[in-house]
Amino acid sequence: MYKLLKKMIAGACCLTMLLGMAACGNTDAPASGDTTPGVTEPADPTATVAPTAEPTETEAPKATEAPKATKAPEATDAPEVTKAPEGTGDPEPTEGPKPTLAPVVKLEGSLKDAAADCGFSFGTVVSAYSDRDLNYVMMVMDEFNSVTAANEMKAYSMLNQSVSQANPDGMPAIDFSQADAIVSKAELLGIGVRGHVLVWDAYMCDWFFREGYTNNGPYVDEATMKKRLQYYIEKVITHFETEFPGVVYCWDVVNEAVGDSEKDYDASDARHIRTLRGATENQFYNIIGDDYVEFSFLCAKNVVEKLQRQNPEVSITLFYNDYNAYFPEKRDSICEVVKSINHYAKDSDGNYRKLCEGVGLQSYIGGYGEQEGCLEESHIEMIKEAIEKYHSLGVEVHVTEMAVRNYDEKLMAEHAEFCGKLFDMYVALNEKERMLTNISIWGITDDPNLGEWNDNYRQNSPYCGLFDKDCKKKDAYYKVLEAMTKTEE
């Protein structure tokens, strides 16, 4: 009865918010200084022109409105982009004629309905602040049937230090309030949620690894750390499935565990599991060991199977998620990770258990912070090859956190054309065999006012969207819709 009452209250609050904003005609951007409609947080570390140029830490946790025991760690500045040397005065080469671009066909329909015909759900990103912009709320309702929380479902956002210190059983305390607000609204609107993420070394609360959950105490031993991590994973998965049955349909169990350069990992490890992120040590690796990824998946699978024994209708798919995942070297390392996870534990009959059921292919496409490397069709072929290779492992593939970067307003037509070709490829893959089950776009709206210092500028770019800054459909939207729309012969 209590749960039903709580959900009724949450639903009423959500509807009241929407109706109130509509009545007031509140279509302006949020007054709080938010730079991207609906989302103020940068996305996860991103794909670059060359994988080795990837910055190591680019995502800063959002400050929570509710008081927290400790502040989330601040992001370190990403390395400055090196500019090309200035010209020496030689005359610039004369540009040849631009290629003819296909005309834009403004079809009727929605992205989610067109995607469903192609065999995948269609998602975007939301945050605790998304409902400040009615345009963004209405866009999500109209066009998407899947959402991912920007930061609110990550451990550093939900762990509570002071309550953890006071827990008599020594287990970590979890504050679900902001995450619940997102998932309850999704449930009300009939939208699924990608759970993101259970285990991620970046920005992780260091006190989580220490005795007494203190800031400067000694680190715990392996057994204690495994017990804490197992407890956390079970509590989180169970909470959302119990409170919002069927809404969180998958979880990114581990995020970005594969390093980019040799200094990030042990060269003898074919999985390239990172020991360092920049200058920061990966404490999951240090304390649990080099199998912490596999152990995390074992914990998650055990929880899901326990829930399924209680209710056979429970359906939660477990994913490994990473950036630069379509560059060949990192792609191959991720494949080794998936193989290792699925050869980690055996069932009672001696057969290996399939612990990892999907790969999340983060798809920040183009130059990081600059136009060079953007809108290059070679990326489309690399993404196609990566999807096919992951699919060959017998797992689902999601395109996650996608942003088709474009820093030049004058190239909007070319950006639209690229988006159309990218989705032509996605659709063609699913016509042969169902290789993709979800595409989630994080760079969904333009933000021309972003400064170069802003993480969203570097990660998503100012002109990345299918929608403009007011959430109005761009040519890129129609190119994507056209690519996904089945035409009858």
Side-chain angles (χ1 to χ4, degrees), residues 384 387-389 391 395-398 429-437:
K384 173 179 177 291
I387 292 171
E388 290 174 331
K389 187 149 189 175
H391 176 73
V395 298
E396 287 188 40
V397 181
H398 284 186
L429 282 178
N430 265 22
E431 285 177 346
K432 293 194 305 180
E433 188 178 354
R434 195 182 181 206
M435 295 192 183
L436 283 172
T437 52

Side-chain angles (χ1 to χ4, degrees), residues 289-354:
D290 64 0
D291 65 341
Y292 86 89
V293 173
E294 291 86 347
F295 175 76
S296 299
F297 272 89
L298 177 60
C299 293
K301 187 64 171 179
N302 286 342
V303 176
V304 172
E305 290 182 350
K306 178 180 177 181
L307 291 169
Q308 288 172 335
R309 288 193 293 271
Q310 298 168 357
N311 177 10
E313 293 185 2
V314 170
S315 179
I316 302 172
T317 308
L318 303 178
F319 279 76
Y320 175 79
N321 189 58
D322 215 325
Y323 66 92
N324 277 347
Y326 64 86
F327 288 98
E329 183 178 357
K330 192 159 186 179
R331 175 201 67 197
D332 292 347
S333 296
I334 292 171
C335 287
E336 292 301 318
V337 170
V338 174
K339 292 174 186 176
S340 179
I341 295 168
N342 287 337
H343 288 81
Y344 184 68
K346 294 183 178 181
D347 61 22
S348 58
D349 296 324
N351 300 313
Y352 284 111
R353 297 170 64 188
K354 189 176 182 179

Side-chain angles (χ1 to χ4, degrees), residues 60-239:
K62 187 191 297 290
T64 55
E65 291 184 328
K68 301 282 286 185
T70 59
K71 293 183 179 179
E74 295 182 356
T76 57
D77 292 336
E80 293 184 3
V81 177
T82 303
K83 295 183 178 180
E86 295 183 2
T88 58
D90 295 331
E92 294 184 1
T94 304
E95 291 186 4
K98 288 188 177 182
T100 303
L101 301 177
V104 176
V105 180
K106 295 190 175 182
L107 299 171
E108 296 294 329
S110 70
L111 297 173
K112 62 184 178 184
D113 291 340
D117 290 337
C118 300
F120 49 85
S121 57
F122 210 78
T124 192
V125 61
V126 295
S127 75
Y129 307 96
S130 295
D131 57 16
R132 292 179 178 181
D133 187 336
L134 181 59
N135 289 335
Y136 197 88
V137 173
M138 299 305 294
M139 178 192 72
V140 172
M141 291 173 62
D142 290 344
E143 303 288 347
F144 301 96
N145 52 18
S146 174
V147 293
T148 309
N151 292 292
E152 289 79 3
M153 295 175 79
K154 294 171 182 170
Y156 63 63
S157 295
M158 296 197 297
L159 286 167
N160 187 304
Q161 184 177 18
S162 61
V163 180
S164 297
Q165 290 173 338
N167 269 355
D169 62 2
M171 290 296 101
I174 307 166
D175 178 0
F176 292 104
S177 56
Q178 286 200 334
D180 280 357
I182 288 174
V183 179
S184 64
K185 289 170 186 174
E187 181 184 45
L188 179 69
L189 299 172
I191 296 175
V193 175
R194 290 195 84 258
H196 180 72
V197 55
L198 294 171
V199 179
W200 188 34
D201 65 290
Y203 307 102
M204 186 57 187
C205 317
D206 185 66
W207 56 262
F208 181 68
F209 303 98
R210 294 181 182 270
E211 291 184 6
Y213 302 107
T214 59
N215 292 328
N216 51 14
Y219 288 111
V220 299
D221 59 22
E222 178 186 344
T224 301
M225 194 65 249
K226 282 186 171 181
K227 187 175 180 181
R228 287 182 183 181
L229 185 59
Q230 181 177 0
Y231 176 90
Y232 176 83
I233 290 172
E234 180 167 7
K235 275 289 185 182
V236 172
I237 294 177
T238 302
H239 169 84

